[in-house]
Amino acid sequence: MKFALFYEIPVARPWDDESEHRAYKNTIEQAVLGDKMGFHSFWTVEHHFLEEYSHCSNPEVLYGAIAARTQNIRLGYGVRLLPKPYNHPIRTAESAAVLDLISDGRVEFGTGRSSTRAELEGFDIDPAETRAMWNEALDHIVGAWTEDEYQAQGKYWQMGAPRRVLPRTLQKPHPPMWGATSSPEGHREIGRRGLGLCSFTVGVPPEELADRIALYRQGLDECTNPAGKFVNDQAATFTMVHCAPTTQQAVDEAAESCVWYVGHGGGLIASVAEWQEEKKEELGSYSYAAGPLEHRRAGALNRLDFSYLQNSGSAIVGDPDHCVEVAKRYEAAGCDLLLCLVNPYKIGHEEVMRSIELMGKHVLPEFRD
């Protein structure tokens, strides 16, 4: 199993004029250290309008800055939002190609649909159409990367005539492609498209994750028409990670942020179900949002205790030996790449830097061939 740094780029209140500046500068410094410590990749989300939770709305600029300061760490879109009008697929193909060139072929291209009311409603997107938009956008992106001239002719995007889309990616035929999902059925769908799996399941123990990865593998077996020119059969999953010299110190530093992240994130997902309920529309492919809405209305999101996250393995928080022990459970579940959310909310910069260093020195070597 490989390890990646994963970021939402939260900016906790109270804010001052330098809050966002510090958040981005700290993230870059942490990525540079991650490169030195042997992390496989650096990933960030693309989110919009999610104050405190994520101030990372245009991550490609950040990827360019990190590419210029690092040598080996790969750069993961975690994820590029594909529904219209977030990002036009031709512009997406162009942007990812530029990043692949300036990073010497280090792009991991993750894709997704979005899962919050703030974003979907803010961009006037019908949730019922996001999966179809995602599927169509994938076809256009791959066509733009691999065909000499490409003409988009779909339901959501059209081009009047063929065009040569430039530049081309350095990796041939294109970078590894990934798909994000939070629902069990979504795991199978990602496999059917022949994409690497980004399993964004917050608060799920690794043993439960194994069932979802099995669904993904089943989908791979059913894949007859992959989205890309090759099948990416790697499974990545996400969890909160913080390492300190002692487990008690790690808990003291990270518990509040982990609990806040799970509760706040659950509320954001619940917002989609509440929105569709208001409109008297079916949840469709967002059916997984019904559970968080039920939990929020019952007050469960406000009663979450860190001990559950710690005891279940839904977070990896402890000294190096503890982190190795829990990470081994993710490896046993079938995870190929562990996406480590190293700052869920407001863990201090120096503490995150120390955590990355401890992981690099004591945890990652336990998983190398």
Side-chain angles (χ1 to χ4, degrees):
M1 186 172 71
K2 299 181 289 291
F3 290 75
L5 299 176
F6 188 85
Y7 287 81
E8 302 269 7
I9 310 189
V11 182
R13 293 182 183 275
W15 299 335
D16 59 48
D17 290 344
E18 290 291 313
S19 295
E20 291 174 321
H21 183 217
R22 283 194 300 272
Y24 272 89
K25 290 293 187 178
N26 290 346
T27 299
I28 292 171
E29 187 176 351
Q30 292 161 21
V32 170
L33 178 60
D35 184 44
K36 295 176 181 176
M37 300 311 301
F39 280 80
H40 169 269
S41 46
F42 166 93
W43 300 64
T44 75
V45 299
E46 176 194 334
H47 274 317
H48 306 273
F49 317 128
L50 304 185
E51 59 186 61
E52 288 200 273
Y53 185 82
S54 174
H55 291 229
C56 189
S57 56
N58 189 13
E60 281 179 312
V61 177
L62 175 63
Y63 301 153
I66 290 171
R69 291 165 170 81
T70 56
Q71 297 296 321
N72 300 306
I73 197 166
R74 295 181 66 81
L75 303 167
Y77 288 74
V79 297
R80 179 79 163 189
L81 299 179
L82 298 191
K84 185 178 184 178
Y86 283 135
N87 295 295
H88 193 288
I90 301 302
R91 291 288 293 120
T92 292
E94 293 169 338
S95 298
V98 170
L99 180 61
D100 204 45
L101 292 173
I102 66 171
S103 68
D104 299 320
R106 288 189 274 154
V107 167
E108 300 282 338
F109 186 68
T111 66
R113 300 185 293 144
S114 196
S115 60
T116 73
R117 176 177 184 171
E119 295 168 287
L120 293 165
E121 188 177 37
F123 280 86
D124 194 27
I125 299 170
D126 182 352
E129 302 214 50
T130 59
R131 180 161 285 175
M133 290 176 175
W134 172 76
N135 271 304
E136 182 182 322
L138 284 172
D139 292 340
H140 294 321
I141 293 164
V142 174
W145 278 339
T146 60
E147 297 182 20
D148 181 49
E149 291 186 337
Y150 183 72
Q151 182 177 6
Q153 293 180 304
K155 176 180 178 181
Y156 301 105
W157 295 276
Q158 305 83 33
M159 297 169 65
R163 293 289 187 271
R164 185 168 287 111
V165 181
L166 302 170
R168 297 305 175 97
T169 60
L170 183 62
Q171 297 178 86
K172 303 299 182 190
H174 53 69
M177 298 176 66
W178 305 73
T181 185
S182 298
S183 65
E185 62 271 18
H187 286 64
R188 189 173 177 183
E189 175 67 17
I190 297 299
R192 285 172 174 158
R193 292 311 313 268
L195 300 169
L197 171 69
C198 289
S199 180
F200 290 162
T201 46
V202 179
V204 173
E207 289 71 27
E208 185 177 332
L209 172 70
D211 296 334
R212 301 188 181 209
I213 292 179
L215 288 172
Y216 166 65
R217 300 292 178 198
Q218 182 180 346
L220 285 173
D221 291 339
E222 298 164 353
C223 176
T224 57
N225 184 29
K229 296 301 182 182
F230 62 92
V231 172
N232 179 10
D233 64 356
Q234 298 294 291
T237 194
F238 150 98
T239 191
M240 298 168 287
V241 176
H242 186 65
C243 190
T246 69
T247 294
Q248 186 58 56
Q249 183 177 350
V251 170
D252 291 343
E253 293 170 352
E256 179 186 0
S257 288
C258 291
V259 169
W260 184 92
Y261 181 82
V262 174
H264 196 80
L268 290 172
I269 294 172
S271 68
V272 174
E274 187 173 53
W275 181 32
Q276 294 300 90
E277 186 180 273
E278 290 174 7
K279 297 190 295 180
K280 295 181 171 56
E281 295 182 2
E282 297 293 326
L283 282 173
S285 61
Y286 290 91
S287 60
Y288 64 88
L293 179 59
E294 181 180 340
H295 293 154
R296 192 184 73 183
R297 286 174 171 168
L301 296 181
N302 296 326
R303 295 195 302 270
L304 181 67
D305 189 88
F306 178 73
S307 61
Y308 165 76
L309 300 175
Q310 182 78 332
N311 296 334
S312 67
S314 301
I316 302 178
V317 177
D319 64 19
D321 289 341
H322 177 85
C323 290
V324 169
E325 177 185 346
V326 181
K328 289 287 186 182
R329 292 166 59 188
Y330 283 87
E331 185 178 51
C335 177
D336 300 303
L337 177 64
L338 191 64
L339 305 172
C340 303
L341 184 70
V342 292
N343 182 18
Y345 183 43
K346 57 179 181 180
I347 301 175
H349 173 56
E350 295 305 321
E351 288 76 12
V352 172
M353 292 286 283
R354 187 196 61 224
S355 177
I356 292 170
E357 184 172 2
L358 287 172
M359 291 286 292
K361 288 182 177 179
H362 303 294
V363 179
L364 273 61
E366 297 296 319
F367 295 83
R368 294 190 180 121
D369 293 335

